[in-house]
């Protein structure tokens, strides 16, 4: 089952926290596009106006709250629950009896926590994190020919050394080997690939976390920085569902 984030944003004004809605440029683009295809009175339009971030990005979840962590990402802080001085606007989102088609967000059913923007900005998003994925043997061989034989590969040109990969695969003729075993087979000229023999490789590589969390850093954080001169006066409050 997938996991989703539910995030609200607050700003400190006159010593009190108040809820802040995302500016147009910071709204979740998928929700905006989806709402545009719905009737004018559909609840999705309001939901798009109040949603800061809805990407299902487990690397980002791991950094923000140690959720769906593969064990290789250190979270910004331990989960804290909801703050005692939660704004009235965000506290209203905690009602578990709201209808599913409510035009506002909810705060999820687990892993509730909060972070100051100052904590988010102070975090080392450029640290390398270990990743792994399963790819066809011929793609692994092409990676070796292009980038070299280091395993794990320190890949800093982008997201990953492959255009796509999976967490695992099964089916007729499919078998999976670890990267060191595959390296030895590459050195010996490869392996048989056919309709009945379909070899795959679990490869490993490191990438900067910044490259993996995507729009949270490129779209959301810049908008948050525009909310206050002091990043300690901006707070992210969020939870998850799965």
């Amino acid at each position: 089952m997938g996991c989703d984030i539910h995030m609200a944003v607050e700003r400190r004004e006159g010593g009190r926290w108040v809820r802040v809605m995302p500016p147009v440029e910071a709204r979740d683009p998928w929700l905006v596009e989806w709402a545009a295809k719905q009737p004018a009175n559909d609840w999705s339009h309001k939901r798009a106006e109040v949603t800061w971030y809805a990407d299902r990005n487990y690397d980002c979840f791991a950094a923000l709250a140690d959720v769906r962590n593969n064990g290789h990402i250190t979270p910004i802080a331990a989960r804290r629950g909801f703050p005692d001085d939660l704004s009235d606007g965000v506290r209203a989102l905690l009602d578990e009896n709201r209808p599913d088609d409510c035009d506002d967000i909810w705060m999820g059913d687990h892993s509730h926590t909060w972070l100051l923007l100052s904590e988010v900005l102070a975090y080392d998003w450029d640290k390398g994190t270990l990743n792994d994925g399963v790819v066809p043997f011929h793609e692994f061989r092409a990676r070796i020919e292009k980038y070299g034989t280091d395993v794990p590969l320190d890949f800093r040109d982008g997201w990953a050394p492959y255009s796509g990969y999976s967490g695992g695969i099964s089916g007729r003729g499919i078998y999976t080997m670890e990267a060191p075993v595959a390296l030895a087979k590459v050195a010996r000229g490869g392996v048989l690939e056919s309709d009945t023999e379909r070899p795959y490789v679990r490869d490993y590589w490191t990438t900067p976390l910044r490259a993996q969390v995507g729009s949270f850093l490129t779209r959301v954080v810049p908008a948050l920085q525009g909310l206050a001169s002091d990043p300690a006066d901006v707070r992210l409050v969020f939870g998850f569902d799965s």
Side-chain angles (χ1 to χ4, degrees):
M1 181 179 294
C3 180
D4 292 299
I5 190 170
H6 306 272
M7 187 178 81
V9 172
E10 299 175 312
R11 176 172 56 204
R12 187 162 23 214
E13 298 179 2
R16 299 186 62 183
W17 292 99
V18 298
R19 186 184 177 192
V20 182
M21 303 302 179
V24 172
E25 67 274 11
R27 294 173 185 169
D28 184 88
W30 184 89
L31 283 175
V32 171
E33 181 179 353
W34 178 61
K37 300 175 183 177
Q38 309 308 314
N41 62 346
D42 191 77
W43 62 272
S44 59
H45 294 278
K46 178 63 175 179
R47 183 70 64 85
E49 293 175 1
V50 301
T51 301
W52 280 86
Y53 181 69
D55 289 3
R56 184 176 283 182
N57 186 311
Y58 292 164
D59 292 321
C60 188
F61 297 176
L64 293 178
D66 201 21
V67 169
R68 293 297 176 105
N69 198 343
N70 62 8
H72 301 303
I73 296 175
T74 302
I76 297 172
R79 292 195 292 269
R80 301 159 166 166
F82 291 121
D84 293 334
D85 57 351
L86 198 64
S87 66
D88 292 339
V90 176
R91 193 173 298 279
L93 305 176
L94 307 186
D95 182 3
E96 297 180 354
N97 298 316
R98 298 182 313 143
D100 292 339
D101 62 350
C102 177
D103 60 8
D104 208 339
I105 65 172
W106 72 305
M107 299 307 295
D109 56 14
H110 68 84
S111 305
H112 301 115
T113 191
W114 57 271
L115 293 169
L116 297 176
L117 178 58
S118 55
E119 295 177 294
V120 174
L121 295 176
Y123 186 69
D124 182 8
W125 295 99
D126 293 311
K127 74 175 86 175
T129 58
L130 182 65
N131 300 273
D132 67 278
V134 174
V135 298
F137 181 87
H138 67 270
E139 292 188 16
F140 175 81
R141 181 172 53 201
R143 188 275 269 184
I144 295 300
E145 293 171 352
K146 182 175 181 180
Y147 295 110
T149 58
D150 292 338
V151 178
L153 176 69
D154 185 10
F155 189 79
R156 296 187 173 273
D157 297 331
W159 173 270
Y162 302 103
S163 59
Y165 56 90
S166 65
I169 189 169
S170 61
R172 175 174 291 184
I174 290 176
Y175 62 96
T176 302
M177 66 192 84
E178 291 294 311
V181 174
L183 274 174
K185 293 183 179 296
V186 169
R188 293 197 298 267
V191 295
L192 176 66
E193 296 187 64
S194 67
D195 291 341
T196 56
E197 293 288 334
R198 299 163 60 193
Y200 280 74
V201 181
R202 180 170 296 281
D203 197 10
Y204 299 81
W205 60 91
T206 56
T207 57
L209 186 55
R210 179 180 300 277
Q212 298 169 219
V213 299
S215 68
F216 178 76
L217 289 182
T218 59
R219 174 175 55 83
V220 178
V221 169
L224 294 174
Q225 289 178 284
L227 296 181
S229 57
D230 186 349
D233 286 333
V234 177
R235 185 166 69 185
L236 294 70
V237 183
F238 49 95
F240 300 82
D241 77 84
S242 55

